[in-house]
Amino acid sequence: MRKQFMIYMLLIPILMVLLSFNNDKKNIENGRDLVQQIHQTYSDSWYTNLTFKQEIFRYSDDSLIRNEVWLVAYSAPGNLHIRYKDFDSGRGWLITNDTLYSFNHNKLIGKRPRLHEIMTLGLDIFITPPNKIVKKIEEMGFDMSLLTETVINGKQVFQVGDPNNQCFWIYKDDLLFYGLRKIDENGVRETFFEKYKTFYNKPVATQIQYYQDGEMYLLEKYFDVRLPSCLPDDFFNPNLFNSTRW
């Protein structure tokens, strides 16, 4: 009897957290509320730095046309560095301050403004102050006043935005990012975050699928995932692209 009582006492805090979490979700009425809840749930425990390797599979008409490995480093918020194949290739790009820098043969070949939806919604959203992240999401064109609960590919999700224009999805059970849809003159593009795994008790999506008009054209599989305590600012300095290594 005493053992059962002790188990019951240990379970009370867990039950209280779950009840609080469910009650908070009942108060989610729009995209801004959802972002606030995501931040409240994860900001104290989310990672600020991430490195991994990604194997990419590019398809055309259901046929594999290219397969290679890229190297990726991310630092919150809004910093992303990608190398094609390896560091010696001299090819890749980085994003910092909402600007995309493209490189070939270790030389800068392009620079342009870039709001990166996947990085913002899949990573930055969990740790960036809600007012800042909401502003950026609205700049991307998502209607944050529109929110509904629906099922996408068998997944229970919150849907933010207009599904006939552009929207994104957040898993209802754990508030992790699931994907997004954009519809324009080029057709329907969809992206899905799949196969979340925990590393040091923190969730990382390890498979990303990209679709154009219902056909997958790109598959990314992440491995050698690491969550370093810090990454040098130099990693995201366009002037130091050639010397960056991790």
Side-chain angles (χ1 to χ4, degrees), residues 192-203:
F192 300 102
F193 273 39
E194 301 276 4
K195 296 187 177 180
Y196 275 90
K197 296 181 180 179
T198 56
F199 299 87
Y200 306 100
N201 297 316
K202 302 178 189 299

Side-chain angles (χ1 to χ4, degrees), residues 7-8 10 13-14 25 32 61 80 106 116 119 136 175 189 201 213 220 231 238:
I7 293 174
Y8 175 73
L10 290 171
I14 298 175
K25 286 199 292 185
R32 300 177 190 87
D61 296 326
L80 190 65
N106 286 319
H116 196 282
M119 177 173 58
K136 181 169 285 190
L175 298 183
R189 288 170 292 166
N201 297 316
D213 297 325
E220 300 175 350
L231 289 176

Side-chain angles (χ1 to χ4, degrees), residues 114-122 137 140 142 152-153 157-160 162-163 165-170 177-183 188-193 208-212 217:
R114 177 73 160 90
L115 293 176
H116 196 282
E117 295 95 341
I118 298 301
M119 177 173 58
T120 300
L121 295 168
I137 294 172
M140 294 174 180
F142 293 95
I152 302 294
N153 298 331
V157 297
F158 288 108
Q159 177 174 275
V160 180
D162 181 359
N165 181 13
Q166 63 180 42
C167 65
F168 65 90
W169 304 295
I170 301 293
F177 176 68
Y178 178 47
L180 62 84
R181 173 188 294 153
K182 298 187 73 174
I183 301 176
V188 180
R189 288 170 292 166
E190 295 178 321
T191 304
F192 300 102
F193 273 39
I208 317 298
Q209 300 172 344
Y210 299 83
Y211 289 82
Q212 176 71 40
Y217 67 90

Side-chain angles (χ1 to χ4, degrees), residues 17-227:
V17 170
L18 291 174
L19 286 173
S20 175
F21 183 58
N22 287 331
N23 287 334
D24 287 338
K25 286 199 292 185
K26 292 179 181 178
N27 296 324
I28 297 174
E29 297 181 355
N30 53 52
R32 300 177 190 87
D33 293 340
L34 181 59
V35 169
Q36 182 70 44
Q37 184 59 47
I38 291 171
H39 187 266
Q40 181 178 327
T41 303
Y42 287 107
S43 60
D44 292 337
S45 60
W46 199 258
Y47 44 90
T48 56
N49 302 287
L50 173 67
T51 66
F52 57 89
K53 296 176 182 177
Q54 66 179 43
E55 186 173 14
I56 69 159
F57 303 84
R58 194 172 294 278
Y59 297 88
S60 179
D61 296 326
D62 294 327
S63 296
L64 180 65
I65 59 174
R66 190 173 64 169
N67 171 221
E68 63 183 29
V69 173
W70 294 356
L71 310 175
V72 183
Y74 161 81
S75 184
N79 297 296
L80 190 65
H81 188 141
I82 292 183
R83 289 298 185 94
Y84 303 152
K85 190 177 179 181
D86 55 37
F87 292 110
D88 294 330
S89 74
R91 299 184 298 126
W93 51 268
L94 64 85
I95 290 179
T96 188
N97 296 321
D98 295 328
T99 302
L100 171 67
Y101 300 84
S102 302
F103 296 84
N104 195 15
H105 300 297
N106 286 319
K107 294 182 179 180
L108 180 65
I109 60 172
K111 173 185 174 182
R112 62 182 175 87
R114 177 73 160 90
L115 293 176
H116 196 282
E117 295 95 341
I118 298 301
M119 177 173 58
T120 300
L121 295 168
L123 294 169
D124 289 348
I125 195 172
F126 299 97
I127 200 166
T128 306
N131 60 322
K132 292 184 178 181
I133 205 72
V134 166
K135 181 180 179 181
K136 181 169 285 190
I137 294 172
E138 290 178 334
E139 287 177 3
M140 294 174 180
F142 293 95
D143 188 342
M144 297 293 282
S145 69
L146 300 177
L147 181 139
T148 187
E149 297 180 22
T150 187
V151 176
I152 302 294
N153 298 331
K155 312 290 197 312
Q156 295 279 343
V157 297
F158 288 108
Q159 177 174 275
V160 180
D162 181 359
N164 297 311
N165 181 13
Q166 63 180 42
C167 65
F168 65 90
W169 304 295
I170 301 293
Y171 285 108
K172 185 179 177 181
D173 59 348
D174 55 18
L175 298 183
L176 293 174
F177 176 68
Y178 178 47
L180 62 84
R181 173 188 294 153
K182 298 187 73 174
I183 301 176
D184 56 24
E185 64 276 5
N186 297 316
V188 180
R189 288 170 292 166
E190 295 178 321
T191 304
F192 300 102
F193 273 39
E194 301 276 4
K195 296 187 177 180
Y196 275 90
K197 296 181 180 179
T198 56
F199 299 87
Y200 306 100
N201 297 316
K202 302 178 189 299
V204 178
T206 61
Q207 181 168 293
I208 317 298
Q209 300 172 344
Y210 299 83
Y211 289 82
Q212 176 71 40
D213 297 325
E215 293 189 5
M216 186 170 65
Y217 67 90
L218 180 64
L219 172 64
E220 300 175 350
K221 294 185 177 182
Y222 299 171
F223 63 100
D224 196 13
V225 175
R226 301 181 183 183
L227 304 175

